[in-house]
Amino acid sequence: MDSKTFSYLYHKVRGYSDEDIRRESGLTEDEYELFEQAMSPMVEEIHKQQSRSEHIGNDFVQLTRYIYAGKSDQECGLTRPDAIKARSGEIFPLPAVGKLDFGKMSLQSAIGQRRSLRKYAEVPLSQEELSFLLWSASWARDFRSNERMEITFRNVPSAGSRHPLETFVDIRRVSGIKPGLYYYHPIKHCLILINEDPQTQEAILEGCFRQEMIQNSAVNFIFTAVPYRTGWRYGQRGYRYLYLDAGHVGQNVHLAAEAIGAGACMIGAYMDEAMNDVLGVDGIEEFVIYIAAVGKKPEA
Ligand SMILES: Cc1cc2nc3c(=O)[nH]c(=O)nc-3n(C[C@H](O)[C@H](O)[C@H](O)COP(=O)(O)O)c2cc1C
């Protein structure tokens, strides 16, 4: 979904006047007329869902209590999901994890000075620094696979070590790596190129409501969740854990950024439809859950 469509729907279902919708969405009168005709089934559908959405938070918390949990798919003996999604493309190895050495800053300082940073220096990140950020957030230090279970262990905790998050990297300024959208392979510790189309980067900016840090950062990490990886074991309660897991990943990005003289800003304000489209995920079996912009600190 593009931002005009999103904006039209968003303002329409909130009851804005025709004129305000046109202005907010940047639509010409002709475009507006077309939208009015073409979008009316969608507007109707959103209105129908709105009454459900008004209670979904409370329902979610109440209905994912253990007391309601049926047997999980794992308990029922259903086939285990894979720990990693297979993706293919040109491979870019990252500097080896064993050689990373960014231990100069104390943990106390990293925690104490962490702030959300939205403006960055123009200097690029080095490949070592990118490697360190990914090691902190997503790297799998161990991988075990058999017929009954496939599991990774990482530098962040995860409920049942299910690690349902996948990591995409929107590279804008990293020495020796061409800008583009990549997938990070947590076992092979490498990047896999998805595409280097500048329009993808523009779509990511647009999908994040043009928040400035997306454009100025050296890299943006886009984390998706694959809910069945956790749901196989925990059923609907697993959805709670996706968001808890994402929080740990976000904090590790923040602290690792501090350790390399960089800063991060976590992003929860994005258009789900647009961001899922950019990555080519369906929004159900896999969806964007969290985004982090990272770049070097500007000179004081
Ligand atoms: C879940 C979450 C979502 C956030 N989304 C955004 C966002 O979309 N845009 C933004 O500028 N900051 C975002 N932030 C950053 C917060 O605004 C920031 O953490 C808060 O203002 C406190 O400032 P501090 O991080 O410097 O302590 C988000 C933070 C979290 C934890």
Side-chain angles (χ1 to χ4, degrees), residues 114-116 118 211 213 254 265-269 290:
R114 183 218 61 83
R115 302 282 182 281
S116 294
R118 297 178 178 85
Q211 294 187 72
M213 53 279 192
H254 261 296
C265 184
M266 302 311 299
I267 297 176
Y290 214 7

PDB file of all heavy atoms in Angstrom, residues 114-116 118 211 213 254 265-269 290, ligand 1:
ATOM      1  N   ARG A 114      23.008   5.928  27.273  1.00  0.00           N
ATOM      2  CA  ARG A 114      22.110   5.629  26.151  1.00  0.00           C
ATOM      3  C   ARG A 114      20.972   6.636  26.051  1.00  0.00           C
ATOM      4  O   ARG A 114      20.322   6.959  27.013  1.00  0.00           O
ATOM      5  CB  ARG A 114      21.505   4.223  26.318  1.00  0.00           C
ATOM      6  CG  ARG A 114      20.610   3.820  25.136  1.00  0.00           C
ATOM      7  CD  ARG A 114      19.385   3.047  25.573  1.00  0.00           C
ATOM      8  NE  ARG A 114      18.523   3.793  26.450  1.00  0.00           N
ATOM      9  CZ  ARG A 114      17.591   4.677  26.044  1.00  0.00           C
ATOM     10  NH1 ARG A 114      17.397   4.926  24.764  1.00  0.00           N
ATOM     11  NH2 ARG A 114      16.844   5.338  26.937  1.00  0.00           N
ATOM     12  N   ARG A 115      20.796   7.159  24.882  1.00  0.00           N
ATOM     13  CA  ARG A 115      19.660   8.042  24.573  1.00  0.00           C
ATOM     14  C   ARG A 115      19.218   7.701  23.162  1.00  0.00           C
ATOM     15  O   ARG A 115      20.025   7.211  22.371  1.00  0.00           O
ATOM     16  CB  ARG A 115      20.071   9.532  24.558  1.00  0.00           C
ATOM     17  CG  ARG A 115      20.677  10.079  25.830  1.00  0.00           C
ATOM     18  CD  ARG A 115      19.637  10.382  26.901  1.00  0.00           C
ATOM     19  NE  ARG A 115      20.262  10.950  28.096  1.00  0.00           N
ATOM     20  CZ  ARG A 115      20.894  10.237  29.033  1.00  0.00           C
ATOM     21  NH1 ARG A 115      20.992   8.924  28.926  1.00  0.00           N
ATOM     22  NH2 ARG A 115      21.425  10.826  30.086  1.00  0.00           N
ATOM     23  N   SER A 116      17.997   8.021  22.823  1.00  0.00           N
ATOM     24  CA  SER A 116      17.595   7.877  21.420  1.00  0.00           C
ATOM     25  C   SER A 116      18.292   8.964  20.611  1.00  0.00           C
ATOM     26  O   SER A 116      18.221  10.137  20.965  1.00  0.00           O
ATOM     27  CB  SER A 116      16.084   8.020  21.275  1.00  0.00           C
ATOM     28  OG  SER A 116      15.442   6.952  21.919  1.00  0.00           O
ATOM     29  N   ARG A 118      18.714  10.762  16.920  1.00  0.00           N
ATOM     30  CA  ARG A 118      17.981  10.905  15.646  1.00  0.00           C
ATOM     31  C   ARG A 118      18.763  11.652  14.584  1.00  0.00           C
ATOM     32  O   ARG A 118      18.333  11.758  13.454  1.00  0.00           O
ATOM     33  CB  ARG A 118      16.628  11.586  15.904  1.00  0.00           C
ATOM     34  CG  ARG A 118      15.701  10.779  16.794  1.00  0.00           C
ATOM     35  CD  ARG A 118      14.391  11.473  17.083  1.00  0.00           C
ATOM     36  NE  ARG A 118      13.513  10.645  17.905  1.00  0.00           N
ATOM     37  CZ  ARG A 118      13.562  10.580  19.243  1.00  0.00           C
ATOM     38  NH1 ARG A 118      14.447  11.308  19.905  1.00  0.00           N
ATOM     39  NH2 ARG A 118      12.727   9.800  19.910  1.00  0.00           N
ATOM     40  N   GLN A 211      10.219   9.699   8.802  1.00  0.00           N
ATOM     41  CA  GLN A 211      10.948  10.140   9.998  1.00  0.00           C
ATOM     42  C   GLN A 211      12.412  10.319   9.607  1.00  0.00           C
ATOM     43  O   GLN A 211      13.028   9.432   9.028  1.00  0.00           O
ATOM     44  CB  GLN A 211      10.799   9.126  11.127  1.00  0.00           C
ATOM     45  CG  GLN A 211       9.359   9.024  11.623  1.00  0.00           C
ATOM     46  CD  GLN A 211       9.259   8.151  12.850  1.00  0.00           C
ATOM     47  OE1 GLN A 211       9.683   8.526  13.936  1.00  0.00           O
ATOM     48  NE2 GLN A 211       8.689   6.975  12.690  1.00  0.00           N
ATOM     49  N   MET A 213      15.340  10.200  10.846  1.00  0.00           N
ATOM     50  CA  MET A 213      16.499   9.354  11.172  1.00  0.00           C
ATOM     51  C   MET A 213      16.678   8.216  10.171  1.00  0.00           C
ATOM     52  O   MET A 213      17.794   7.743   9.966  1.00  0.00           O
ATOM     53  CB  MET A 213      16.438   8.808  12.610  1.00  0.00           C
ATOM     54  CG  MET A 213      15.197   8.107  12.998  1.00  0.00           C
ATOM     55  SD  MET A 213      13.957   9.336  13.415  1.00  0.00           S
ATOM     56  CE  MET A 213      12.732   8.296  14.170  1.00  0.00           C
ATOM     57  N   HIS A 254      20.779  -0.660  21.008  1.00  0.00           N
ATOM     58  CA  HIS A 254      21.118   0.593  21.672  1.00  0.00           C
ATOM     59  C   HIS A 254      22.490   0.514  22.356  1.00  0.00           C
ATOM     60  O   HIS A 254      23.337   1.387  22.184  1.00  0.00           O
ATOM     61  CB  HIS A 254      20.064   0.917  22.742  1.00  0.00           C
ATOM     62  CG  HIS A 254      19.033   1.914  22.300  1.00  0.00           C
ATOM     63  ND1 HIS A 254      19.346   3.219  21.986  1.00  0.00           N
ATOM     64  CD2 HIS A 254      17.701   1.811  22.148  1.00  0.00           C
ATOM     65  CE1 HIS A 254      18.234   3.866  21.654  1.00  0.00           C
ATOM     66  NE2 HIS A 254      17.217   3.040  21.734  1.00  0.00           N
ATOM     67  N   CYS A 265      17.918   4.937  17.267  1.00  0.00           N
ATOM     68  CA  CYS A 265      16.556   5.317  17.611  1.00  0.00           C
ATOM     69  C   CYS A 265      15.647   4.171  17.183  1.00  0.00           C
ATOM     70  O   CYS A 265      15.647   3.772  16.014  1.00  0.00           O
ATOM     71  CB  CYS A 265      16.125   6.616  16.930  1.00  0.00           C
ATOM     72  SG  CYS A 265      14.472   7.128  17.482  1.00  0.00           S
ATOM     73  N   MET A 266      14.916   3.639  18.133  1.00  0.00           N
ATOM     74  CA  MET A 266      13.965   2.573  17.822  1.00  0.00           C
ATOM     75  C   MET A 266      12.735   3.200  17.181  1.00  0.00           C
ATOM     76  O   MET A 266      12.350   4.325  17.526  1.00  0.00           O
ATOM     77  CB  MET A 266      13.558   1.805  19.085  1.00  0.00           C
ATOM     78  CG  MET A 266      14.711   1.177  19.837  1.00  0.00           C
ATOM     79  SD  MET A 266      15.851   0.214  18.812  1.00  0.00           S
ATOM     80  CE  MET A 266      14.774  -1.078  18.157  1.00  0.00           C
ATOM     81  N   ILE A 267      12.118   2.482  16.274  1.00  0.00           N
ATOM     82  CA  ILE A 267      10.959   3.020  15.557  1.00  0.00           C
ATOM     83  C   ILE A 267       9.803   2.019  15.610  1.00  0.00           C
ATOM     84  O   ILE A 267       9.927   0.883  15.156  1.00  0.00           O
ATOM     85  CB  ILE A 267      11.335   3.336  14.094  1.00  0.00           C
ATOM     86  CG1 ILE A 267      12.414   4.425  14.084  1.00  0.00           C
ATOM     87  CG2 ILE A 267      10.106   3.777  13.293  1.00  0.00           C
ATOM     88  CD1 ILE A 267      12.932   4.770  12.725  1.00  0.00           C
ATOM     89  N   GLY A 268       8.714   2.500  16.208  1.00  0.00           N
ATOM     90  CA  GLY A 268       7.493   1.687  16.227  1.00  0.00           C
ATOM     91  C   GLY A 268       6.409   2.310  15.363  1.00  0.00           C
ATOM     92  O   GLY A 268       5.378   1.692  15.103  1.00  0.00           O
ATOM     93  N   ALA A 269       6.664   3.556  14.928  1.00  0.00           N
ATOM     94  CA  ALA A 269       5.675   4.258  14.101  1.00  0.00           C
ATOM     95  C   ALA A 269       6.000   4.014  12.626  1.00  0.00           C
ATOM     96  O   ALA A 269       6.894   4.664  12.067  1.00  0.00           O
ATOM     97  CB  ALA A 269       5.698   5.751  14.414  1.00  0.00           C
ATOM     98  N   TYR A 290       9.639  -4.286  14.377  1.00  0.00           N
ATOM     99  CA  TYR A 290      10.431  -3.251  15.051  1.00  0.00           C
ATOM    100  C   TYR A 290      11.507  -2.774  14.077  1.00  0.00           C
ATOM    101  O   TYR A 290      12.016  -3.569  13.277  1.00  0.00           O
ATOM    102  CB  TYR A 290      11.109  -3.866  16.278  1.00  0.00           C
ATOM    103  CG  TYR A 290      11.279  -2.971  17.486  1.00  0.00           C
ATOM    104  CD1 TYR A 290      10.726  -1.710  17.563  1.00  0.00           C
ATOM    105  CD2 TYR A 290      12.013  -3.431  18.587  1.00  0.00           C
ATOM    106  CE1 TYR A 290      10.884  -0.930  18.705  1.00  0.00           C
ATOM    107  CE2 TYR A 290      12.168  -2.663  19.732  1.00  0.00           C
ATOM    108  CZ  TYR A 290      11.598  -1.412  19.784  1.00  0.00           C
ATOM    109  OH  TYR A 290      11.757  -0.646  20.912  1.00  0.00           O
TER     110      TYR A 290
HETATM  111  C1  LIG B   1       8.635   0.675  21.184  1.00  0.00           C
HETATM  112  C2  LIG B   1       9.274   1.996  20.860  1.00  0.00           C
HETATM  113  C3  LIG B   1       8.879   2.669  19.710  1.00  0.00           C
HETATM  114  C4  LIG B   1       9.460   3.897  19.380  1.00  0.00           C
HETATM  115  N1  LIG B   1       9.115   4.509  18.227  1.00  0.00           N
HETATM  116  C5  LIG B   1       9.681   5.686  17.896  1.00  0.00           C
HETATM  117  C6  LIG B   1       9.385   6.298  16.660  1.00  0.00           C
HETATM  118  O1  LIG B   1       8.658   5.778  15.823  1.00  0.00           O
HETATM  119  N2  LIG B   1       9.961   7.497  16.408  1.00  0.00           N
HETATM  120  C7  LIG B   1      10.813   8.106  17.276  1.00  0.00           C
HETATM  121  O2  LIG B   1      11.303   9.198  16.991  1.00  0.00           O
HETATM  122  N3  LIG B   1      11.148   7.516  18.451  1.00  0.00           N
HETATM  123  C8  LIG B   1      10.613   6.324  18.781  1.00  0.00           C
HETATM  124  N4  LIG B   1      10.975   5.699  19.940  1.00  0.00           N
HETATM  125  C9  LIG B   1      11.956   6.330  20.853  1.00  0.00           C
HETATM  126  C10 LIG B   1      11.260   6.960  22.058  1.00  0.00           C
HETATM  127  O3  LIG B   1      10.592   8.130  21.641  1.00  0.00           O
HETATM  128  C11 LIG B   1      12.302   7.260  23.142  1.00  0.00           C
HETATM  129  O4  LIG B   1      12.847   6.050  23.619  1.00  0.00           O
HETATM  130  C12 LIG B   1      11.703   8.037  24.290  1.00  0.00           C
HETATM  131  O5  LIG B   1      11.294   9.324  23.890  1.00  0.00           O
HETATM  132  C13 LIG B   1      12.653   8.169  25.466  1.00  0.00           C
HETATM  133  O6  LIG B   1      13.867   8.803  25.059  1.00  0.00           O
HETATM  134  P1  LIG B   1      15.294   8.106  25.259  1.00  0.00           P
HETATM  135  O7  LIG B   1      15.279   6.823  24.453  1.00  0.00           O
HETATM  136  O8  LIG B   1      16.299   9.090  24.734  1.00  0.00           O
HETATM  137  O9  LIG B   1      15.456   7.810  26.706  1.00  0.00           O
HETATM  138  C14 LIG B   1      10.434   4.470  20.264  1.00  0.00           C
HETATM  139  C15 LIG B   1      10.839   3.766  21.392  1.00  0.00           C
HETATM  140  C16 LIG B   1      10.288   2.543  21.676  1.00  0.00           C
HETATM  141  C17 LIG B   1      10.793   1.792  22.884  1.00  0.00           C
END
